[in-house]
Amino acid sequence: MKRALISVSNKKGLVEFAKGLIENNYEIISTGGTAKYLEENNIKTTAIENVTGFKEIMDGRVKTLHPKIHGGLLGLRDKESHLEQMRENEIEKIDMVVVNLYPFEEVLNRGGVPHGELIENIDIGGPSMVRSGAKNYKFVTVVMDPENYGEVLEEIKIYGDTTLETREKLAGKVFLETAYYDSLIGNYLIEKSKGDREKLVLGYKKVQDLRYGENPHQGGSFYKNSSVGYSLANGKQLNGKELSYNNIQDGNIVLEILKEFDQEEKIACVGVKHMNPCAIALGENTREAWERTYEGDKISIFGGIVGTTGIVDEETAKKLVEIFLEIVIAKGYTEKALEILKSKKNLRVLEIDMDEVVKNKERIVSVLDGVLVQDLDITNETIKDYKLVTEIEATEEDMKQLEFAWKAVKHIKSNGIVICKDYRTIGIGAGQMNRVGAAKLALDQGEELCKGAYMASDAFFPMDDTVELAAQYGIKSIIQPGGSIKDQMSIDKCNENRISMVFTGIRHFKH
């Protein structure tokens, strides 16, 4: 007779699995709540204390940390010295471990849980047992995921045991699972204590395998860090094909931009293509916000992604389906609007809880043989932080318009220039090798609308040539970080052309 040790918090499929093991000549060893649950379902178990000869102590903190458990898991069946020591110490073999861990992640994600309760949800015995069994996978099967129950039972029925290949695969799954589990605990404690992370250990769960990566010859997968928070991974897809690698990249930019405006009284809308916004606008309602966004760049938005902080109603949906879009992202949809959007079977329709917080505060980018980590650029400067540097005054309305432009340029690839008017973008110059080139692109796009408009630059002007160009198009006011040794040249050029200019004191490079 073989022996299986079962101790789980997730009882999904457990009764059927345990019955299957018994039918295949397994004895069930179990602990506390799991033993009670199995016996309530007429499954006979052997209590853990009857194996160890030692009752659990310290409120259950110590019950499986015992030589008769770990010896039974770690003993090599093909090494005589191990077998002899097992006989001498009356240690019986344990052939299978069925364990999933205390729900630390679930409790952490609830938010607001007292620190002491979180600490009590750190599993010690579970990780110890599965690691012992996984190290000895040549002889021991370790099952942590109920999704593997069927596969394991099927092999036992056919072969009398699991195959070595399956045991090895499950062992690998164990070490990844415990690493993920420990990463949550370690990162929580380091963040709480404001400690320094000398080791970077990140835990992510697979959301889906992607058809391909950025290009068809590249593989790709999508992982997420948490089951709560403001992100595509935690949104609801209501229609359309699976998200692609590029969809996810673009969709994430949409969410980052919308988060800038989610506290506005007006509704915000943005269109994104190739990780750059085509246009951004505010409106009194969702339909107006979309129409003003569309007017900002009718050409680039074709085949792009649209997001809004509002509820998409029937009239907005009718407008959206007039052109080809890859994705629509919104706070919500009316029933009629959803019906209209679903008429385009491939249109991906996503619903995102705009009230959720951004959980991860870091951006991680891979480089060859390493990663770069930086804080997310979530510094939100306000009008009170701005410094007027010209003799030409900026009115209260000018300041509000400049604030909108500054929020917009923050998400443009550097070098970036944005031209805005009446709380919508009319020209965007992104990702250029020089700032004058970016300004030229943005101003040419805005054309005659630039007269009386507002310009934002993601970084300072090294020369006064950008101001000179802005003056030729009739720009009324400029917002930029300041900080160049030649700032005064730009200030003088603004005064000369009756343009007001404010410095924010902070830049937003986006490489």
Side-chain angles (χ1 to χ4, degrees), residues 336-350:
K336 189 65 179 176
L338 204 51
E339 182 182 321
I340 292 167
L341 294 172
K342 285 183 175 181
S343 68
K344 299 237 175 169
K345 66 176 184 177
N346 290 330
L347 175 63
R348 299 161 179 89
V349 179
L350 301 179

Side-chain angles (χ1 to χ4, degrees), residues 52-294:
T52 63
F54 196 93
K55 288 188 177 181
E56 66 177 61
I57 60 173
M58 300 175 184
D59 301 317
R61 282 187 168 205
V62 180
K63 56 191 172 198
T64 59
L65 299 170
H66 194 280
K68 289 197 174 182
I69 299 300
H70 289 274
L73 291 170
L74 284 164
L76 295 171
R77 277 59 158 170
D78 58 359
K79 191 168 185 177
E80 185 54 41
S81 62
H82 281 211
L83 295 173
E84 178 61 30
Q85 289 171 52
M86 290 173 76
R87 287 191 290 269
E88 287 175 0
N89 292 283
E90 299 181 337
I91 295 174
E92 295 185 49
K93 294 179 289 185
I94 298 174
D95 307 283
M96 181 181 292
V97 183
V98 184
V99 167
N100 42 66
L101 310 180
Y102 291 175
F104 179 86
E105 180 179 20
E106 180 184 320
V107 176
L108 180 67
N109 284 339
R110 281 186 215 151
V113 175
H115 175 67
E117 185 178 340
L118 277 167
I119 295 302
E120 288 307 311
N121 275 280
I122 297 175
D123 201 328
I124 300 300
S128 300
M129 287 189 291
V130 295
R131 286 171 60 84
S132 290
K135 178 173 180 176
N136 204 21
Y137 73 83
K138 185 176 179 182
F139 305 103
V140 180
T141 305
V142 185
V143 190
M144 296 189 74
D145 186 350
E147 296 299 320
N148 294 122
Y149 289 170
E151 173 188 13
V152 168
L153 272 184
E154 187 66 22
E155 287 193 1
I156 291 172
K157 288 176 184 177
I158 296 172
Y159 307 114
D161 199 355
T162 53
T163 64
L164 179 60
E165 181 183 12
T166 294
R167 292 196 296 276
E168 186 174 56
K169 177 186 73 175
L170 293 174
K173 196 168 180 176
V174 164
F175 288 110
L176 288 177
E177 183 63 34
T178 56
Y180 175 80
Y181 190 77
D182 285 343
S183 76
L184 297 175
I185 298 166
N187 286 319
Y188 163 71
L189 290 172
I190 287 293
E191 185 177 336
K192 183 178 184 298
S193 63
K194 297 180 172 58
D196 181 34
R197 284 187 308 186
E198 295 179 2
K199 300 280 194 312
L200 179 64
V201 183
L202 305 172
Y204 288 86
K205 291 181 177 178
K206 184 181 284 187
V207 177
Q208 67 186 87
D209 287 315
L210 304 171
R211 284 183 300 156
Y212 52 82
E214 204 163 8
N215 297 289
H217 63 276
Q218 296 170 271
S221 300
F222 182 28
Y223 291 80
K224 70 175 181 177
N225 178 252
S226 172
S227 59
V228 297
Y230 178 73
S231 72
L232 285 179
N234 296 321
K236 297 178 184 176
Q237 184 166 346
L238 308 176
N239 188 61
K241 299 184 294 185
E242 284 189 347
L243 295 173
S244 70
Y245 182 96
N246 294 331
N247 289 157
I248 293 165
Q249 290 268 57
D250 286 343
N252 186 67
I253 297 299
V254 167
L255 293 188
E256 289 191 16
I257 294 171
L258 291 180
K259 206 62 181 170
E260 298 282 350
F261 300 100
D262 65 348
Q263 301 302 316
E264 296 278 353
E265 292 181 7
K266 294 185 177 183
I267 301 298
C269 185
V270 58
V272 166
K273 191 89 165 283
H274 303 310
M275 296 184 68
N276 261 314
C278 310
I280 306 169
L282 301 181
E284 296 297 332
N285 52 56
T286 307
R287 178 187 57 76
E288 183 183 62
W290 158 242
E291 288 176 340
R292 301 185 85 228
T293 300
Y294 181 58

Side-chain angles (χ1 to χ4, degrees), residues 344-383:
K344 299 237 175 169
K345 66 176 184 177
N346 290 330
L347 175 63
R348 299 161 179 89
V349 179
L350 301 179
E351 183 177 286
I352 303 288
D353 186 347
M354 301 287 175
D355 297 322
E356 280 278 17
V357 298
V358 179
K359 280 209 71 178
N360 59 314
K361 297 295 193 298
E362 295 173 323
R363 189 178 301 283
I364 301 168
V365 179
S366 63
V367 294
L368 294 176
D369 196 33
V371 295
L372 292 170
V373 181
Q374 67 170 342
D375 295 337
L376 276 178
D377 188 6
I378 55 174
T379 303
N380 291 312
E381 310 85 60
T382 61
I383 291 172

